[in-house]
Amino acid sequence: MKNILHIISSPRQQESSSIKLGNRIIEKLLTQYPGSSVTTHNLSQTHYPPLQEAQIAAFKTPPNALNAEQQQLLSLSNKAVAQLAEADILVIGSPLYNFTIPAGLKAWLDHIVRPGLTFTYENGKPQGLLKVQQVYLALAANGVYSDGPTKHWDFAEPYLRHILGFIGLSNITTFRVEGGGIPGIMETALEKGLESVQL
Ligand SMILES: Cc1cc2nc3c(=O)[nH]c(=O)nc-3n(C[C@H](O)[C@H](O)[C@H](O)COP(=O)(O)O)c2cc1C
């Protein structure tokens, strides 16, 4: 049995390919690990505000030196980190927006990448402090970026791999629904993406 955390960042809900793809990954995981628990965290419902000066200062303050106001400022971030620390498996659904991740997903990342809590530097080298066993990325885009001439236009997947690796999550598998805006590919894009999910 595993604790599965599903992070949703598309605001589209019913129509969203990245959510459908994430759900397919979870169906497969539940077959593999019957009785697992699934927590869904929808970033359209929980907003992570852009970081402000006081919050950045609170991030850098040792826990025992935090005042009441700083503790309050950190509460959303602390909850997000705790949720992640409890997960065995993380599924992140992301649309490609302007060749990278949506602002809501970046904001969530800004709240979970925390010095001394989710990463540290030892002898000048970064060390991730989280221990999620497996991460699946469920990406959706109108273009095709898994291969071919526009592969390097996708800044979402390399960025997610880098930042998740930075906090210790380096076992990452990517699935995609792609070509959703290209005639001749779009007609079967969703079906192909869903079928590609073999764990
Ligand atoms: C604001 C916005 C920006 C987008 N930028 C890109 C892009 O840079 N490249 C691309 O291939 N598709 C782009 N798309 C298309 C989405 O990636 C595509 O519709 C995807 O299926 C959205 O994910 P979802 O179905 O999970 O909502 C964009 C869509 C929106 C709304």
Side-chain angles (χ1 to χ4, degrees):
M1 278 175 28
K2 304 281 184 188
N3 275 337
I4 302 168
L5 175 61
H6 187 189
I7 302 289
I8 287 175
S9 66
S10 170
R12 296 211 299 154
Q13 313 306 322
Q14 300 297 327
E15 296 300 315
S16 164
S17 296
S18 61
I19 295 177
K20 287 178 185 155
L21 188 59
N23 286 340
R24 175 61 60 90
I25 294 167
I26 286 165
E27 274 169 34
K28 297 274 181 181
L29 286 170
L30 289 175
T31 307
Q32 204 167 333
Y33 306 108
S36 292
S37 69
V38 180
T39 304
T40 302
H41 192 46
N42 189 326
L43 302 181
S44 296
Q45 285 157 15
T46 305
H47 289 278
Y48 289 83
L51 298 180
Q52 304 292 332
E53 184 175 7
Q55 194 153 32
I56 293 164
F59 279 175
K60 293 179 181 169
T61 305
N64 55 3
L66 290 167
N67 63 32
E69 189 192 339
Q70 287 178 314
Q71 280 169 9
Q72 177 58 31
L73 272 176
L74 291 183
S75 66
L76 188 62
S77 167
N78 286 346
K79 268 190 214 157
V81 172
Q83 191 178 50
L84 204 44
E86 279 167 17
D88 301 306
I89 301 177
L90 174 65
V91 178
I92 299 182
S94 178
L96 195 70
Y97 277 2
N98 303 320
F99 305 106
T100 188
I101 58 173
L105 182 55
K106 176 61 165 57
W108 176 77
L109 286 165
D110 286 343
H111 283 255
I112 59 149
V113 179
R114 297 258 310 265
L117 191 61
T118 59
F119 76 92
T120 188
Y121 274 88
E122 264 185 23
N123 304 322
K125 284 192 179 162
Q127 198 192 332
L129 299 177
L130 286 176
K131 302 266 179 284
V132 177
Q133 295 159 13
Q134 175 72 49
V135 180
Y136 295 99
L137 302 179
L139 308 182
N142 274 356
V144 171
Y145 307 99
S146 58
D147 209 356
T150 51
K151 188 172 183 210
H152 63 289
W153 292 10
D154 172 11
F155 292 85
E157 205 233 9
Y159 174 65
L160 286 170
R161 282 185 177 272
H162 183 79
I163 194 64
L164 294 169
F166 186 75
I167 56 173
L169 315 183
S170 49
N171 195 5
I172 300 173
T173 304
T174 300
F175 295 104
R176 294 173 187 264
V177 172
E178 59 181 352
I182 303 176
I185 299 178
M186 62 198 276
E187 297 77 7
T188 53
L190 179 63
E191 191 187 323
K192 274 193 182 155
L194 297 181
E195 276 173 10
S196 74
V197 180
Q198 302 298 336
L199 307 186

